[in-house]
């Protein structure tokens, strides 16, 4: 019985040895640092495929990995005035001391600054973004005089934008693709903002001139308003007459 058992064990050892020998040629072809027995850093705690926006030579002591993210200046709370800063993985994940503004997504690389931290979109198009936890409109580039930040679709401000301001710049407050503010031709349209009391960005009405030319008497603002009112009344009558419900 013992002999039979020993023979069985030897047979198994022989088979395993042969198998190991057969595989050894393949194993020796694999570099030692790629062998399955080599200890490795847990990559789930580290950045992989690092490129733009990373410093690959920096040791991140919090995660025991090489590589740290550059966070854009505007993404900090309060915003940093100068350049992007290297921040550890744990500090980004847990937002230590609320150093990073909730208005920014540090998983997205900025297309203009080679750093992470893009203002969060409020809607799908990105024509509205978050400022101080609230949505604000993104105005097409060139409209605002003193924007607080630039997004991929335009510029933003934390100050109110009125119809009067837009009208003087040659714009009306409507959505224009992925930003707000559409230029208009003053020879074809008259923008009525509704007076100084109107603090909204939308015009009270937009009148199509349809080829109408002002006389010399219509140069004053008051006379223009009278003409516009008369045109508006006539248009309303025509609509009621020919476009009955």
């Amino acid at each position: 019985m013992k002999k039979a058992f020993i023979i069985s064990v030897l047979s198994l050892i022989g088979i395993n040895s042969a198998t190991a020998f057969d595989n050894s040629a393949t194993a020796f072809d694999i570099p030692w640092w790629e062998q399955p027995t080599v200890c490795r850093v847990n990559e789930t705690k580290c950045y992989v495929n690092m490129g733009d926006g990373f410093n690959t030579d920096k040791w991140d002591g919090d995660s025991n990995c090489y590589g740290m993210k550059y966070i854009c200046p505007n993404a900090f709370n309060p915003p940093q005035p100068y350049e992007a800063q290297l921040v550890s993985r744990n500090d980004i994940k847990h937002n230590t001391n609320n150093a990073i503004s909730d208005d920014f997504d540090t998983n997205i690389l900025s297309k203009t600054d080679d750093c992470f931290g893009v203002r969060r979109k409020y809607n799908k198009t990105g024509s509205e973004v978050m400022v101080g936890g609230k949505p604000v409109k993104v105005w097409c580039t060139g409209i605002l005089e003193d924007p607080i930040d630039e997004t991929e679709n335009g510029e933003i401000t934390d100050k109110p934008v009125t119809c009067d301001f837009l009208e003087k710049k040659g714009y009306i407050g409507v959505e224009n693709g992925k930003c707000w503010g559409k230029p208009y031709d003053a020879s074809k349209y008259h923008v009525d903002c509704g007076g100084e009391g109107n603090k909204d960005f939308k015009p009270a009405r937009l009148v199509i001139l349809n080829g109408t030319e002002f006389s010399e008497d219509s140069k004053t603002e008051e006379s223009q308003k009278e003409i516009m009112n008369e045109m508006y009344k006539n248009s309303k009558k025509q609509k009621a007459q020919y476009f009955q419900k």
Side-chain angles (χ1 to χ4, degrees):
M1 185 68 179
K2 289 182 179 179
K3 289 182 179 180
F5 177 75
I6 292 170
I7 291 170
S8 298
V9 172
L10 290 173
S11 299
L12 289 172
I13 293 172
I15 292 170
N16 290 339
S17 299
T19 304
F21 180 80
D22 290 341
N23 291 335
S24 63
T26 305
F28 284 128
D29 290 340
I30 301 175
W32 68 265
W33 57 88
E34 294 183 4
Q35 295 286 346
T37 56
V38 175
C39 295
R40 292 182 176 81
V41 174
N42 184 0
E43 291 186 351
T44 60
K45 296 183 178 180
C46 302
Y47 297 120
V48 294
N49 301 324
M50 290 180 285
D52 292 341
F54 287 94
N55 184 320
T56 58
D57 297 327
K58 198 75 173 179
W59 175 255
D60 185 352
D62 288 350
S63 59
N64 294 324
C65 303
Y66 271 103
M68 295 180 71
K69 270 185 178 181
Y70 281 106
I71 303 301
C72 297
N74 285 345
F76 287 96
N77 185 25
Q80 299 293 315
Y82 303 112
E83 57 187 17
Q85 302 290 322
L86 287 171
V87 182
S88 74
R89 187 182 175 97
N90 282 354
D91 282 348
I92 294 173
K93 181 179 180 181
H94 302 294
N95 196 11
T96 306
N97 299 323
N98 294 320
I100 299 173
S101 171
D102 290 335
D103 293 336
F104 289 80
D105 188 340
T106 54
N107 292 313
I108 303 177
L109 180 70
S110 171
K111 294 180 179 179
T112 56
D113 301 312
D114 287 339
C115 54
F116 285 89
V118 173
R119 199 173 286 276
R120 297 183 189 276
K121 296 178 181 178
Y122 180 74
N123 57 6
K124 290 182 178 179
T125 63
S127 65
E128 294 185 26
V129 295
M130 303 301 293
V131 174
K134 298 179 181 179
V136 300
K137 287 178 170 48
V138 175
W139 296 95
C140 299
T141 303
I143 296 178
L144 301 179
E145 294 180 349
D146 190 20
I148 62 169
D149 197 8
E150 180 181 349
T151 74
E152 61 179 333
N153 296 332
E155 299 170 335
I156 59 174
T157 180
D158 54 359
K159 299 175 183 177
V161 177
T162 64
C163 174
D164 284 332
F165 170 81
L166 293 171
E167 188 267 336
K168 288 181 174 63
K169 299 276 285 187
Y171 291 88
I172 53 175
V174 296
E175 198 164 3
N176 183 15
K178 295 183 178 181
C179 58
W180 287 77
K182 198 164 187 177
Y184 75 95
D185 187 342
S187 67
K188 297 179 180 179
Y189 302 94
H190 170 73
V191 178
D192 180 5
C193 289
E196 294 181 0
N198 181 23
K199 301 300 182 182
D200 195 5
F201 65 91
K202 296 178 182 179
R205 60 182 175 173
L206 181 67
V207 181
I208 302 174
L209 298 180
N210 198 23
T212 301
E213 294 182 4
F214 291 137
S215 65
E216 290 295 320
D217 297 332
S218 67
K219 286 185 177 181
T220 66
E221 184 176 353
E222 193 61 35
S223 62
Q224 288 181 12
K225 285 183 178 180
E226 290 179 5
I227 293 173
M228 291 301 109
N229 285 329
E230 188 64 30
M231 290 174 61
Y232 178 72
K233 290 177 183 177
N234 291 336
S235 296
K236 202 171 182 180
K237 289 179 182 178
Q238 294 291 322
K239 182 179 179 181
Q241 180 179 352
Y242 295 106
F243 297 93
Q244 297 179 0
K245 295 182 180 179

